[in-house]
Amino acid sequence: MADDFPYAELWWRGVGKLAVIALIGAAAGAIFGYSALGALAAVLIFVLLQLRQLIRLRAWLHAPKRHFLPDAGGIWGEVFDLLIDLQRKNRKRKKKLALMLAEFQASTAALPDGAVVLADRGEISWFNTAARQLLGLRAPQDLGIRIPNLIRHPSFTEFFEAGDFELETEAPSPINRNRMLSLRIIPYGNEQKLLIVRDISERRQLEAARRDFVANASHELRTPLTVLRGYLDLMEMDTQGAGPLAGWRTPVLEMRNQALRMEALINDMLKLARLEADRAHMRDELLQAPTLVARAVEEAKAVSKGQHRFEQMVEPDLLLLGGEIEFYSIIINLLTNAVRYTPAGGAIRVSWERAGDSARFAVADTGIGVAPEDIPRLTERFYRVDVGRSRASGGTGLGLSIVKHALEAFDAQLEIESEVGVGSTFICRFPPHRVQDAASAALAAAERGADPD
Ligand code: ADP
């Protein structure tokens, strides 16, 4: 044996003891002339004593609280001591584990987020107090039930079946439709999952309140501004002659420019608020994207006033499904940005083409470019690399935020490539389910026309 347990010593001790007992028995028997019988009787008594200890041990193992292990000498004494020691250690470990479990349960119970432990097929095996309150789970009835059977919202079912747990989803609480929950799944261990549930109703309400405030404030500001602009337009005309207002020409012009800027800002703020509020409700129409691109290019050319060279590569039969206002916001913002951030003499290349099953709209310019560290922040509201330049060219700082939100409504992505002093390319990728072919769209329309059902 590899370990250092003293087998041999214990054997010799045992055999030695038996021999001594047999000898004593034989000596006692010899007094009566029966030494062999004496030895046998002594060994028998020894065996019976062993049996007694064994039975005591058996009784103690059966119910350790009711029976006790006696003080014994020899191997039995050692066995009993070792067992009692083992029992004490076990008790200590059990107490420690129970304490840890109680602490764990107390801390998860105090957690504001719901936590649900799921087995490999999504069966509930444990949940905390918050999960009970948020999802209405009950123990023990709901233990072992698959979670999609309890959270029966399509967004959660889809999310759970898809199994892409990098993402998270949102669904109303099964016990209170007014409470919005964010649901995340974290896989761990052997096919197990932890579902984390968070109540985001308040955050949603705050966002809605902020959006409503911006939309209402912008809307309210519009009317007084229109009145001011109307008078400023009139005054501007009056300052052109040699009348009493002639000296006011510059201030009136400046006031009118500022009023125009404010108008642009309010319009952009309203647009953004609408996009944020109605993202899911964009009305899908079949858009004649090539026509819309051509119209936006004409508008950009008007802003450019002939200072830039325009190139166009437009696939005439590439149509798009979505909202016209949203699509036009995207392309006009990218085009006017290209004009505003490209010095006179530069070139602007616009393309609308297929890229595999997707569609790609891109605006490339030979303008001032953007430094790599600024690129990720361009779509933030009011983020401008150079505030002075943006304002001077009529920018509101909201253009790319509008682009980003409008693209989200199309499930589309924005990519920005840029180099300072060389130029920038803004690319929008529209997914296949948004792309339509003019020929097949016409065919479908003809079929609908021929078959009134
Ligand atoms: P702004 O009204 O200021 O143009 P945007 O949201 O449209 O607001 O753009 C944000 C910032 O991104 C701009 O201020 C500018 O610094 C930068 N930017 C946008 N388009 C371009 C471009 N084509 N070339 C260089 N910089 C750009």
Side-chain angles (χ1 to χ4, degrees), residues 102-401:
E103 270 173 23
F104 172 73
Q105 277 177 341
S107 60
T108 48
L111 218 62
D113 295 343
V116 185
V117 174
L118 304 172
D120 55 351
R121 291 189 55 253
E123 303 94 334
I124 300 173
S125 37
W126 178 86
F127 54 83
N128 70 350
T129 321
R132 199 175 59 215
Q133 287 157 358
L134 294 172
L135 299 171
L137 298 181
R138 294 151 311 161
Q141 299 97 307
D142 292 337
L143 294 175
I145 292 183
R146 290 190 71 228
I147 195 82
N149 294 341
L150 292 171
I151 309 176
R152 289 173 158 276
H153 195 267
S155 72
F156 181 75
T157 317
E158 211 172 281
F159 166 74
F160 190 81
E161 300 305 336
D164 181 5
F165 300 134
E166 293 283 296
L167 308 167
E168 55 181 68
T169 190
E170 287 172 12
S173 160
I175 47 165
N176 183 354
R177 299 266 132 201
N178 296 325
R179 298 217 80 80
M180 200 61 184
L181 306 178
S182 126
L183 302 141
R184 271 200 75 177
I185 287 184
I186 304 156
Y188 73 97
N190 190 14
E191 294 275 310
Q192 279 177 304
K193 296 176 193 83
L194 180 67
L195 169 69
I196 301 283
V197 190
R198 189 167 292 170
D199 187 344
I200 52 164
S201 328
E202 232 160 81
R203 199 169 83 201
R204 279 292 121 86
Q205 274 159 10
L206 275 174
E207 279 171 11
R210 178 185 62 81
R211 254 192 336 254
D212 288 352
F213 172 76
V214 173
N216 290 337
S218 312
H219 200 75
E220 291 298 325
L221 281 170
R222 234 180 179 178
T223 322
L225 200 60
T226 315
V227 175
L228 280 178
R229 241 200 76 193
Y231 281 117
L232 284 168
D233 284 348
L234 281 177
M235 281 169 84
E236 201 205 339
M237 279 190 274
D238 286 350
T239 56
Q240 278 170 6
L245 283 177
W248 280 88
R249 180 130 202 245
T250 318
V252 166
L253 255 179
E254 181 57 17
M255 281 194 277
R256 196 172 159 268
N257 282 343
Q258 294 297 339
L260 281 175
R261 247 192 73 201
M262 235 157 118
E263 210 172 53
L265 202 59
I266 285 170
N267 284 341
D268 274 3
M269 275 161 62
L270 263 175
K271 234 184 261 172
L272 200 55
R274 262 188 221 131
L275 275 171
E276 276 187 308
D278 292 342
R279 188 183 312 170
H281 308 293
M282 176 174 74
R283 199 145 8 106
D284 284 353
E285 316 161 47
L286 186 62
L287 300 179
Q288 297 296 327
T291 319
L292 293 170
V293 171
R295 198 203 301 162
V297 170
E298 287 313 309
E299 208 178 306
K301 277 182 181 166
V303 179
S304 155
K305 297 194 183 88
Q307 293 179 346
H308 304 91
R309 198 159 29 84
F310 280 81
E311 281 171 39
Q312 287 186 61
M313 267 194 7
V314 174
E315 288 193 27
D317 59 344
L318 182 56
L319 310 186
L320 192 69
L321 267 181
E324 181 172 326
I325 296 175
E326 287 81 359
F327 183 65
Y328 201 73
S329 292
I330 296 166
I331 58 179
I332 194 64
N333 272 304
L334 293 180
L335 272 161
T336 47
N337 274 355
V339 171
R340 291 191 294 116
Y341 299 104
T342 304
I348 295 166
R349 210 173 55 240
V350 187
S351 55
W352 170 243
E353 54 197 358
R354 286 186 178 80
D357 290 338
S358 319
R360 178 181 181 276
F361 173 77
V363 180
D365 62 47
T366 56
I368 59 171
V370 186
E373 64 272 18
D374 288 317
I375 291 180
R377 302 198 57 190
L378 293 187
T379 54
E380 288 175 19
R381 291 181 180 86
F382 297 115
Y383 187 83
R384 292 120 147 173
V385 178
D386 177 346
V387 179
R389 187 179 179 127
S390 159
R391 284 202 185 132
S393 62
T396 61
L398 292 173
L400 289 180
S401 306

